[in-house]
Each structure stands twice: as C-alpha cells, then as structure tokens.
C-alpha cells in the first residue's frame, strides 16, 4: 500500500532563510508526487507537481526515486509562505491522492 | 470562476443522528472525490466518482457512510447514526480532465456531540 510521510509537524524559520519541507513516500510502482498548500482560512490548493518540474512562488521539489523523497525547497523564505503544506502521492490505478500528515511552515521576522 | 462549494460549512450533530453533506463541483468536472480530515491529520480518501458512477468506495470507514452523485454533478455524502469518531472536516474535490489535479472545496466541519 502507498504511504506518505512528513516527519515534521512544525517548521519555524526566519524570513530570508532557506526552507526544506521533507516528504518521503512508499509505493512499489511509478509515483506521481504533488505538494498542496493551505493558507490561513483558505482552501487546500495545488502548489506544484513533480512531473512539470516548474518553480511556483519560488518553491521547487525534485523527485528522488533512490531515496523515495520529494522534498520541497525554497532558498529564501517569505512571510507569506507561512501555511500548512501537504505532500501527496497519486497512483493512477486508484485515481486517488494519498496525503501526508502535513507540515506547518511558520516564517518569522 | 466558481470553485467547488460545500454546504453546510459547519454541522453539529448529536450522536446517533443522520447527516447529509453536499458538494457542488466545478461545472463540467468529471471526477469527484470525498476526503475525511481528522484534526492534525492529512486528508484521507473516502470515495471517488467518475460522472455518476462510484468507481471506488474503498475508503468509506463503515456501512454508515454512503455517497451518491445521481446526475453526475452534485454529490451528497450521508452519514447514518453518527458517532463521535466521525467528527472531522469533510472535503470534496473535483477534477477534469486529469484526476490528479484536484480542486478542493472549503470543507464541512462536522462535530458529533
């Protein structure tokens, strides 16, 4: 069965510091990984997906199949990045997303 | 444009009551998903529709949970004889054409007392 692990419940960084939100997955097939974000009082929304290899709001994530990881990174954190971040795994056979438990990113001055 | 909407936004039910949660997906979206999010957890899959067909209901926790989408648009999640462990936020998402790019509603927070 597929599983997504986000080991940190809370990550607190200073504005301008680098950010790395960790995500590990277990899945025997070929995975598609995503990061979803939920800002305060807003709904869950897609941030980025590994297959597009794009940078959104300065965030990037690289799929490392050897380490089964999909960490989210940003070189310089901004206050507006404070939010709840969820890593998710999509398996086409089941057409569903499996989410991690989420990491709250708190960016302070 | 209009996103996914859910109603009610908040529901308080006494233990043993039946509840019905509604989801209005984005117009034209073929796929519709229900998730349950307990406090401090990520969303957990409940069930999936493609048009009116319920293709996967493997995540429904018990036979007290029932979902339908009779005309392939609006969906209702019904919970019979609610229990305290049913307290959670229930999220609806729709997508088209790719099922992995899901657009979420604001959720319904269910509290069972």
């Amino acid at each position: 069965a597929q599983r997504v692990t986000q080991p940190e419940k809370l990550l607190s960084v200073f504005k301008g510091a680098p950010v790395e939100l960790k995500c590990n997955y277990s899945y025997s097939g070929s995975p598609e990984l995503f990061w979803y974000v939920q800002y305060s009082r807003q709904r869950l929304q897609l941030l980025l997906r590994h297959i597009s290899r794009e940078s959104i709001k300065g965030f990037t994530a690289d799929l490392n199949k050897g380490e089964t990881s999909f960490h989210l990174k940003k070189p310089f954190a901004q206050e507006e990045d404070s939010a709840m971040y969820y890593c998710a795994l999509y398996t086409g056979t089941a057409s569903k997303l499996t989410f991690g438990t989420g990491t709250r990113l708190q960016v302070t001055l | 444009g209009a996103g996914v909407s859910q109603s009610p936004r908040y529901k308080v039910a006494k233990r043993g009551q039946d509840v019905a949660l509604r989801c209005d997906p984005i117009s034209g979206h073929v796929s519709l998903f229900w998730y349950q999010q307990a406090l401090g957890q990520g969303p957990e899959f409940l069930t999936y529709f493609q048009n009116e067909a319920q293709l996967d209901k493997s995540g429904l926790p018990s036979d007290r949970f029932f979902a339908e989408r009779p005309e392939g648009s609006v969906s209702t999640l019904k919970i019979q004889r609610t229990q305290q462990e049913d307290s959670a936020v229930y999220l609806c998402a729709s997508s088209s054409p790719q099922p992995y790019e899901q657009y979420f509603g604001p959720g319904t927070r269910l509290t069972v007392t």
Side-chain angles (χ1 to χ4, degrees):
Chain A
Q2 56 267 28
R3 187 185 189 114
V4 176
T5 303
Q6 294 180 252
E8 302 140 329
K9 275 196 158 336
L10 172 66
L11 182 64
S12 188
V13 301
F14 287 111
K15 180 182 172 182
V19 173
E20 183 178 56
L21 299 169
K22 291 184 167 38
C23 171
N24 287 88
Y25 67 91
S26 64
Y27 177 58
S28 55
S30 188
E32 292 190 55
L33 275 298
F34 302 83
W35 278 98
Y36 276 77
V37 61
Q38 187 167 26
Y39 301 103
S40 180
R41 286 186 287 279
Q42 292 187 28
R43 59 188 67 189
L44 197 58
Q45 58 187 282
L46 178 64
L47 179 63
L48 56 79
R49 54 187 174 119
H50 90 270
I51 202 164
S52 61
R53 302 185 67 81
E54 56 192 345
S55 171
I56 303 289
K57 300 185 179 184
F59 284 98
T60 58
D62 289 318
L63 178 60
N64 186 323
K65 290 187 178 180
E67 295 183 359
T68 60
S69 69
F70 187 57
H71 303 327
L72 184 67
K73 300 177 184 179
K74 184 170 182 176
F76 308 104
Q78 302 299 316
E79 276 184 271
E80 57 265 29
D81 297 330
S82 294
M84 197 74 187
Y85 291 80
Y86 293 95
C87 182
L89 168 69
Y90 174 78
T91 58
T93 50
S95 290
K96 66 182 184 185
L97 290 170
T98 299
F99 287 87
T101 51
T103 297
R104 178 169 299 284
L105 174 64
Q106 190 173 279
V107 181
T108 55
L109 296 174
Chain B
V4 178
S5 61
Q6 292 185 245
S7 61
R9 292 292 314 279
Y10 302 91
K11 177 70 180 176
V12 179
K14 283 189 164 49
R15 187 166 161 263
Q17 278 185 333
D18 297 349
V19 297
L21 313 180
R22 177 188 167 105
C23 172
D24 280 88
I26 293 172
S27 178
H29 275 195
V30 168
S31 301
L32 185 145
F33 303 81
W34 283 98
Y35 293 85
Q36 181 190 57
Q37 185 171 20
L39 194 62
Q41 301 296 315
E44 290 201 9
F45 171 81
L46 292 177
T47 187
Y48 160 55
F49 290 86
Q50 192 171 65
N51 296 306
E52 68 277 4
Q54 189 174 20
L55 298 187
D56 187 346
K57 52 182 181 178
S58 62
L60 296 177
S62 77
D63 58 9
R64 296 185 296 104
F65 286 72
F66 171 77
E68 60 183 5
R69 194 186 185 198
E71 295 175 1
S73 56
V74 171
S75 177
T76 304
L77 175 68
K78 297 178 179 176
I79 309 173
Q80 296 178 320
R81 304 180 304 281
T82 51
Q83 304 293 314
Q84 278 199 309
E85 61 263 27
D86 300 336
S87 294
V89 175
Y90 290 85
L91 295 169
C92 176
S94 70
S95 68
S96 190
Q98 303 292 350
Y100 53 71
E101 189 158 344
Q102 299 181 16
Y103 295 84
F104 283 81
T108 294
R109 182 178 297 278
L110 173 65
T111 304
V112 181
T113 60

